[in-house]
């Protein structure tokens, strides 16, 4: 294989710190940016191999999402815009961790195991977020691609979901859209304008939305997109990166975990606000009521709103499609009850991590998936998309049905089906609220969240916790689940579970109950159980004051 000596030589320019071990986790590699140069080079190499194997373009995104500015990370994107296959996650870890002298052997091992034809062309798309370390790290990815003789296209600054979109466009020969930023903006904004154009009674106030872009890439891209929206949406952009620090006291993750408004924004009572995360693949909404009380509308509320809207349209056009909502154990119990009991839709629960939800959603005609943290999208099967198209094109369809059919068609087009996309999800929600003439308070009132609390516990080795039933029950350590069951019984309408984090060295505890005091107390009690039964380190968890 003619390329191997070149790869080996180039890899010495991106040396691996001896002994450093990293893992391709829930969302790729993520750690302090200083430790990532060799990982980036090697992921460029791996993406080229993956491209040769799949005979398609592969994406490599340099970002650490909602992590602090000094971190960075990398995610690989498979041909249809989905996350890297799980089998290859193992190869990614293997390549990233092999010491300099073993790198070639590790590489050859992948080639052999996957029977890769090295004479096949390799094609890789690369994108990066706004972190100061991202430019040089993405250059290392490009070096890795060229070392193996692959072709690359460097998109420069992109949101993560934009890169997923580009990859899918490229591999569907433009059927999904044009693989350019312009193509992305046009596709989404035209669909948004079509969706909202008949909602005649929409006032300027209703068209106004405050956006917190987490001082990240979403701000730049939203600015670029604004002119395409033709003033149909009036955006006040805050935390646009001009002064604040990335993800610091702002962004979707901060708002969701702290359950409070981001710093750096001004929002009047009753007005809609939303927050992106650092790479713009998560979105949460909120408002302040007249008493100054903060109200959060998270991924569960978003899924419910979208589900309501789609179900109504399917009924109007008489389409009988299998619709499901996919959630994780973090979904608020009220949302699950509402979806199952009132809306009568199928609800599935998967493990945390977008890839799990995405795969589960693919099993339905229409799979709406959202994590409570605001990451999610809607997947339409090919058959469902075809049925919608036939309905619109069929000359015998009556006017009312055609109108609903067109709304469905534009809904499909405004959605980025490759992965959760804050910009696309935001446009969809804005369109739904406009079409339904709904305020954010009315949306919030669809169901009431059960009070909940999330805590972290530090333990010596979080791998001692093993879970089953989509992380809702702990299998080990012994006695932990029994303790949780007993503690839950002492609270009304309560539920609690624990799981080892996939991104941080902690065990996460979730509890919900009828009152906030009760949810707080239960979360604390369960934290103590984890601390004592799973090897807690540091001081005992304290009750929140
Ligand atoms: C990552 C995942 C997200 C998940 C979170 C859980 C992707 C793109 N992102 O951010 O889906 O909710 O990890 O973090 O898969 P945790 O394991 O630390 O709780
Ligand atoms: Mg993110």
């Amino acid at each position: 294989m003619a390329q191997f000596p070149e790869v080996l030589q180039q890899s010495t320019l991106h040396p691996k710190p001896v002994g450093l071990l990293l893992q391709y986790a829930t969302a790729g590699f993520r750690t302090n940016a200083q430790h990532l140069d060799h990982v980036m080079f090697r992921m460029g190499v791996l993406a080229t191999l993956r491209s040769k194997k799949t005979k398609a373009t592969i994406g490599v995104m340099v970002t650490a999402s909602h992590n602090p500015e000094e971190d960075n990370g990398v995610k690989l994107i498979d041909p249809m815009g989905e996350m890297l296959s799980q089998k290859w996650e193992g190869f990614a870890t293997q390549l990233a961790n092999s010491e300099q002298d073993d790198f070639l052997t590790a590489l050859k091992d992948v080639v052999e195991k996957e029977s890769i034809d090295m004479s096949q062309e390799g094609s890789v798309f690369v994108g990066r977020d706004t972190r100061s370390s991202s430019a040089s790290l993405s250059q290392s990815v490009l070096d890795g691609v060229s070392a193996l003789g692959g072709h690359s296209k460097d998109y420069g600054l992109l949101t993560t979901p934009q890169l997923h979109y580009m990859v899918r466009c490229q591999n569907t020969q433009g059927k999904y859209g044009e693989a350019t930023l312009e193509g992305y903006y046009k596709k989404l904004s035209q669909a948004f304008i079509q969706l909202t154009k008949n909602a005649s009674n929409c006032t300027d106030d209703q068209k106004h939305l405050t956006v917190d872009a987490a001082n990240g890439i979403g701000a730049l891209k939203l600015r670029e997109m604004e002119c395409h929206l033709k003033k149909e949406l009036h955006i006040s952009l805050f935390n646009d990166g001009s002064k604040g620090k990335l993800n610091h006291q702002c962004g979707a993750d901060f708002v969701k975990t702290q359950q409070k408004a981001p710093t750096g924004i001004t929002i009047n009572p009753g007005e809609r606000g939303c927050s992106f995360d650092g790479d713009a693949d998560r979105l949460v909404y909120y408002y302040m009521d007249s008493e100054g009380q903060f109200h959060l509308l998270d991924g569960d509320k978003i899924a419910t709103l979208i589900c309501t809207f789609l179900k109504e349209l399917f009924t109007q056009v008489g389409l009988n499609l299998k619709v499901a909502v996919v959630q994780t154990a973090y979904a608020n119990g009220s949302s699950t009850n509402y979806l199952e009991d009132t809306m009568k839709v199928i609800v599935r629960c998967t493990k945390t991590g977008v890839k799990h939800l995405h795969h589960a959603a693919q099993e339905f005609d229409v799979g709406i998936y959202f994590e409570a943290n605001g990451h999610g999208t809607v997947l339409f099967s090919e058959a469902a998309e075809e049925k919608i198209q036939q309905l619109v094109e069929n000359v015998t369809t009556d006017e009312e049905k055609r109108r609903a059919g067109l709304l469905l068609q534009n809904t499909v087009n405004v959605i980025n089906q490759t992965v959760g996309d804050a910009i696309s999800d935001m446009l969809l929600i804005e369109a739904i609220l406009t079409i339904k003439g709904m305020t954010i308070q009315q949306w919030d009132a669809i169901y009431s969240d059960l009070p909940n609390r999330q805590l972290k516990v530090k333990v010596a080795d979080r791998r001692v916790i093993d879970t089953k039933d989509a992380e809702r029950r702990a299998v080990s350590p012994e006695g932990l689940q029994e303790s949780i069951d007993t503690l839950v019984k002492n609270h009304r309408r309560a539920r609690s579970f624990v799981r080892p984090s996939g991104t941080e060295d902690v065990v996460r505890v979730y509890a919900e109950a009828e009152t906030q005091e009760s949810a707080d107390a239960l979360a604390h009690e369960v934290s103590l159980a984890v601390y004592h039964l799973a090897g807690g380190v540091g001081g005992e968890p304290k009750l929140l004051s």
Side-chain angles (χ1 to χ4, degrees), residues 462-499:
R462 69 194 198 278
R463 288 171 302 183
V464 299
I465 300 211
D466 196 10
T467 63
K468 63 172 182 180
D469 194 14
E471 304 177 324
R472 288 173 291 194
R473 296 191 68 77
V475 197
S476 69
E478 222 186 299
L480 180 58
Q481 188 57 50
E482 290 71 18
S483 300
I484 297 175
D485 290 342
T486 310
L487 295 167
V488 164
K489 281 197 195 114
N490 297 331
H491 298 268
R492 289 161 65 98
R493 298 176 69 197
R495 187 170 70 90
S496 179
F497 69 92
V498 302
R499 54 176 281 278

Side-chain angles (χ1 to χ4, degrees), residues 51 81 95 99 154 221 310 431:
S51 170
L95 277 199
E99 295 303 338
D154 180 11
K221 299 298 146 183
L310 287 176

Side-chain angles (χ1 to χ4, degrees), residues 281-299:
D281 64 357
R282 288 192 195 179
L283 174 75
V284 294
Y285 268 73
Y286 39 85
Y287 66 96
M288 297 286 186
D289 64 23
S290 49
E291 265 101 64
Q293 173 85 30
F294 173 78
H295 297 263
L296 175 70
L297 290 89
D298 62 4

Side-chain angles (χ1 to χ4, degrees), residues 30 63-67 75 160-161 277-282 375:
R30 220 180 270 184
T63 180
S65 185
H66 55 277
N67 282 40
K75 309 185 200 187
T160 297
D277 73 336
D279 63 338
D281 64 357
R282 288 192 195 179
H375 186 119

Side-chain angles (χ1 to χ4, degrees), residues 238-530:
F238 290 86
N239 298 325
D240 63 354
S242 55
K243 40 184 194 293
K245 245 172 98 177
L246 178 68
N247 297 324
H248 182 64
Q249 309 246 307
C250 61
D253 195 60
F254 171 86
V255 171
K256 170 69 181 162
T257 53
Q258 305 295 312
Q259 308 207 6
K260 62 181 181 200
T263 52
I265 74 161
T266 323
I267 183 165
N268 296 319
E271 282 182 358
R272 294 187 303 284
C274 69
S275 287
F276 298 179
D277 73 336
D279 63 338
D281 64 357
R282 288 192 195 179
L283 174 75
V284 294
Y285 268 73
Y286 39 85
Y287 66 96
M288 297 286 186
D289 64 23
S290 49
E291 265 101 64
Q293 173 85 30
F294 173 78
H295 297 263
L296 175 70
L297 290 89
D298 62 4
D300 305 334
K301 292 257 173 181
I302 293 174
T304 307
L305 181 71
I306 296 173
C307 187
T308 309
F309 176 69
L310 287 176
K311 287 273 282 184
E312 281 170 7
L313 288 178
F314 293 142
T315 308
Q316 277 174 38
V317 297
L319 270 185
N320 189 11
L321 296 172
K322 207 167 173 195
V323 180
V325 175
V326 183
Q327 308 183 311
T328 70
Y330 289 108
N332 196 280
S334 289
S335 74
T336 314
N337 289 344
Y338 179 81
L339 288 162
E340 281 181 334
D341 303 343
T342 310
M343 292 204 59
K344 312 270 185 233
V345 292
I346 304 165
V347 178
R348 286 275 183 282
C349 183
T350 71
K351 288 204 280 194
T352 301
V354 173
K355 59 191 169 217
H356 303 296
L357 290 103
H358 192 93
H359 286 145
Q362 280 172 327
E363 284 166 29
F364 302 90
D365 292 322
V366 181
I368 303 160
Y369 76 81
F370 272 87
E371 289 192 304
N373 63 27
H375 186 119
T377 186
V378 187
L379 306 185
F380 294 87
S381 68
E382 239 173 77
E385 281 195 28
E386 268 166 29
K387 281 184 190 166
I388 294 169
Q389 194 173 345
Q390 279 165 11
L391 198 106
V392 176
E393 284 169 3
N394 188 344
V395 284
T396 63
T397 305
D398 69 49
E399 223 15 68
E400 201 180 323
K401 275 193 185 167
R402 186 197 307 279
R403 228 178 44 85
L406 277 171
L407 285 179
L408 278 171
Q409 202 172 40
N410 285 310
T411 301
V412 172
N413 285 335
V414 89
I415 291 170
N416 183 347
Q417 294 192 48
T418 61
V419 78
D421 181 336
I423 294 181
S424 148
D425 290 338
M426 177 193 84
L427 291 176
L428 176 61
I429 290 164
E430 290 301 306
I432 295 175
L433 295 178
T434 305
I435 294 164
K436 292 172 80 69
M438 213 176 188
T439 63
I440 191 164
Q441 293 87 338
Q442 286 166 331
W443 167 22
D444 195 24
I446 294 180
Y447 66 83
S448 302
D449 274 326
L450 276 171
N452 56 87
R453 179 65 60 198
Q454 276 196 56
L455 297 173
K456 317 179 198 188
V457 184
K458 276 210 168 287
V459 297
D461 180 2
R462 69 194 198 278
R463 288 171 302 183
V464 299
I465 300 211
D466 196 10
T467 63
K468 63 172 182 180
D469 194 14
E471 304 177 324
R472 288 173 291 194
R473 296 191 68 77
V475 197
S476 69
E478 222 186 299
L480 180 58
Q481 188 57 50
E482 290 71 18
S483 300
I484 297 175
D485 290 342
T486 310
L487 295 167
V488 164
K489 281 197 195 114
N490 297 331
H491 298 268
R492 289 161 65 98
R493 298 176 69 197
R495 187 170 70 90
S496 179
F497 69 92
V498 302
R499 54 176 281 278
S501 158
T503 65
E504 234 184 296
D505 192 13
V506 294
V507 174
R508 297 205 192 280
V509 173
Y510 176 88
E512 64 183 31
E514 194 168 70
T515 64
Q516 191 63 56
E517 294 69 36
S518 192
D520 288 350
L522 178 58
H524 175 64
E525 290 152 15
V526 172
S527 297
L528 285 174
V530 170

